[in-house]
Amino acid sequence: MSRRDDGGNDGSLTTLWVCLGFVPLVAVFATVATYIRMELPNNVKGPEEANVGQCPQGYFKLGEMSDCLPWLSCEVIKRDIIVRELIGQGAVKQVFLALWRGNKVALSRLAVPKFKADFIHGLEMLKGLQSVNVVKLLGFCEENHSILTKYHPLGSLNNLNAVMEQERYLGLNTWRTRFHLVIEYVSVLNYLHNSPLGTRVMCDSNDLDKVLSQYLLTSELHLIVNDLDALPVVNRSSGVLVKCGHRELSGHFVAPEQLWPYAHELPFSDHLMPSYDEKTDVWKIPNVVDFLLGQVEGSDVVRFHLFELHRDCKRETPQHRPSAQTVLQTYKAVYASLTQEADVPDPRNDL
Ligand SMILES: Nc1ncnc2c1ncn2[C@@H]1O[C@H](COP(=O)(O)OP(=O)(O)O)[C@@H](O)[C@H]1O
Ligand SMILES: *[C@@H]1O[C@H](CO)[C@@H](O)[C@H](O)[C@H]1NC(C)=O
Ligand SMILES: *[C@@H]1O[C@H](CO)[C@@H](O)[C@H](O)[C@H]1NC(C)=O
Ligand SMILES: [Mg+2]
């Protein structure tokens, strides 16, 4: 595919702007990125570490690009994007593999007009929550309902077990690799619960497959969050709680406080349904982690060490469950205790 030009004058002005105007901002970002990385165990690299912190808010860098570019505009998206095949479909979006200047990118389009508000909300969250934990935003066109993000060929986290059977990843299907994914998963929740946009609840999560479909697996086997279309805010100081949708939820996967409490007396009514907080995400952690750990040598030893913590995540009373931050700290401590004899580096570093 031929490389297309993206308005040369604009590009060099942007470079100047980035070099001169944003140096202090870049420094701040670098500090923040260092801080975020310190949160991970020593031998766990943050996803796409090399690129994070290099671009200020509103800019991105992809692959071999040497300069940060501003998020691509409607004009550029309409002119320079070549749309290829459909690679994913959820309730809200259709996701296409596309090409931009010879790079593979993911183009998401609103699939069902009635979900326009969710689509716009998801875009606002992507803009405001860019970090190591979140898929990289490359551009958007609100009038076209299009969002451009970095393409991840391994797709969603639902593919984990199939990926682990591919030749390239043979030898990496170990409890260590899987435990790193566990730590990254809870890092995402901890980030959302303490985000620059407040305490955000991952509402698009009524069953395991649904949860997994909101996350992507990178080619280096890191876990990042992708779909931010349903992230309502909890604001404790002003008493604001959330409800995940307006319909009745059922089953054991969702937290007990998400179920209609008057099932024996009254038909469901959204208006009478009590609201709840981010501890619904903590309730679901053991189920997701059970999937991530899989059935490999050593994963049952890990499960054994997480038994009490996971029992606490399943407390009926939300306030009795640990925070995502406590869960994360405990995971790191368990990981450290299991690896202290044999200090083996992150197996993914060899990829
Ligand atoms: N950047 C990407 N790279 C690769 N696959 C993607 C990407 N973004 C989305 N997908 C695929 O598309 C599916 C649907 O995307 P998602 O954003 O969850 O849409 P929806 O909001 O409709 O649920 C994902 O589960 C994943 O399989
Ligand atoms: C955006 O919409 C315009 C028409 O309004 C259309 O010509 C263009 O192809 C669309 N671009 C994309 C990327 O969907
Ligand atoms: C939470 O509520 C307080 C008081 O109303 C407000 O000042 C603050 O901005 C809110 N925070 C968020 C993240 O919405
Ligand atoms: Mg989704």
Side-chain angles (χ1 to χ4, degrees):
M1 213 29 68
S2 69
R3 285 175 158 258
R4 292 176 172 224
D5 196 71
D6 176 35
N9 284 338
D10 250 25
S12 46
L13 263 182
T14 304
T15 310
L16 199 67
W17 177 225
V18 172
C19 291
L20 299 178
F22 280 91
V23 167
L25 250 184
V26 169
V28 170
F29 266 76
T31 314
V32 171
T34 309
Y35 176 73
I36 289 169
R37 227 171 300 139
M38 273 162 45
E39 289 284 280
L40 292 166
N42 291 337
N43 55 352
V44 180
K45 275 199 196 167
E48 304 164 34
E49 183 166 52
N51 288 330
V52 168
Q54 287 184 8
C55 296
Q57 175 69 6
Y59 290 74
F60 73 96
K61 192 188 269 192
L62 201 60
E64 306 293 292
M65 278 167 61
S66 53
D67 298 322
C68 298
L69 285 184
W71 285 333
L72 303 178
S73 62
C74 286
E75 211 186 348
V76 176
I77 292 177
K78 286 174 193 171
R79 192 186 59 210
D80 294 347
I81 297 294
I82 301 161
V83 182
R84 290 285 178 85
E85 72 265 22
L86 186 73
I87 53 168
Q89 163 113 47
V92 176
K93 287 167 277 172
Q94 281 189 315
V95 185
F96 298 88
L97 174 63
L99 288 172
W100 171 72
R101 295 181 170 184
N103 297 294
K104 287 180 177 175
V105 295
L107 179 75
S108 300
R109 280 185 184 153
L110 178 61
V112 188
K114 71 170 174 176
F115 292 133
K116 184 179 160 188
D118 302 75
F119 184 90
I120 298 295
H121 170 78
L123 175 56
E124 290 310 310
M125 294 297 110
L126 267 185
K127 290 182 199 170
L129 298 176
Q130 287 290 291
S131 80
V132 277
N133 305 291
V134 179
V135 75
K136 190 178 290 186
L137 180 63
L138 308 177
F140 52 87
C141 179
E142 295 200 36
E143 62 184 65
N144 262 59
H145 301 119
S146 305
I147 300 177
L148 212 58
T149 52
K150 180 168 170 166
Y151 170 65
H152 293 281
L154 297 183
S156 81
L157 198 53
N158 307 69
N159 300 334
L160 176 63
N161 289 326
V163 166
M164 285 299 199
E165 283 163 20
Q166 289 175 16
E167 191 165 8
R168 178 169 187 227
Y169 299 103
L170 274 179
L172 282 174
N173 189 15
T174 63
W175 70 265
R176 279 194 178 79
T177 306
R178 286 169 171 273
F179 205 148
H180 283 294
L181 294 173
V182 165
I183 287 172
E184 286 172 349
Y185 172 66
V186 178
S187 296
V188 169
L189 292 183
N190 183 40
Y191 176 70
L192 296 178
H193 293 178
N194 302 282
S195 91
L197 303 179
T199 299
R200 295 281 166 175
V201 183
M202 186 44 142
C203 266
D204 219 340
S205 59
N206 294 338
D207 59 64
L208 179 63
D209 272 334
K210 194 77 187 168
V211 176
L212 299 175
S213 77
Q214 318 304 6
Y215 294 82
L216 298 172
L217 195 57
T218 74
S219 301
E220 293 75 38
L221 297 185
H222 289 287
L223 178 159
I224 57 174
V225 65
N226 169 63
D227 184 354
L228 306 179
D229 292 350
L231 290 186
V233 72
V234 169
N235 192 334
R236 230 164 243 110
S237 57
S238 57
V240 173
L241 297 173
V242 307
K243 280 191 248 182
C244 292
H246 303 288
R247 278 178 291 167
E248 182 173 7
L249 301 178
S250 60
H252 295 292
F253 190 82
V254 298
E257 66 272 21
Q258 295 186 276
L259 302 173
W260 174 236
Y262 314 113
H264 299 295
E265 299 108 75
L266 286 170
F268 178 80
S269 145
D270 181 35
H271 161 73
L272 295 176
M273 176 68 201
S275 48
Y276 36 80
D277 65 15
E278 77 281 7
K279 290 294 178 70
T280 54
D281 285 337
V282 174
W283 169 273
K284 297 163 189 170
I285 288 174
N287 302 68
V288 177
V289 167
D290 193 46
F291 168 82
L292 293 176
L293 288 176
Q295 302 298 331
V296 296
E297 196 184 331
S299 53
D300 280 339
V301 176
V302 175
R303 279 189 183 85
F304 176 79
H305 282 88
L306 301 180
F307 183 81
E308 280 178 42
L309 177 69
H310 285 176
R311 187 197 55 203
D312 290 346
C313 292
K314 291 291 189 185
R315 297 255 182 243
E316 285 291 312
T317 311
Q319 303 88 282
H320 292 170
R321 295 174 207 149
S323 65
Q325 186 175 24
T326 300
V327 175
L328 178 60
Q329 283 163 353
T330 310
Y331 284 164
K332 287 176 184 175
V334 170
Y335 186 86
S337 77
L338 288 172
T339 51
Q340 66 188 7
E341 301 97 51
D343 188 22
V344 179
D346 186 341
R348 299 170 297 184
N349 292 345
D350 298 335
L351 277 173

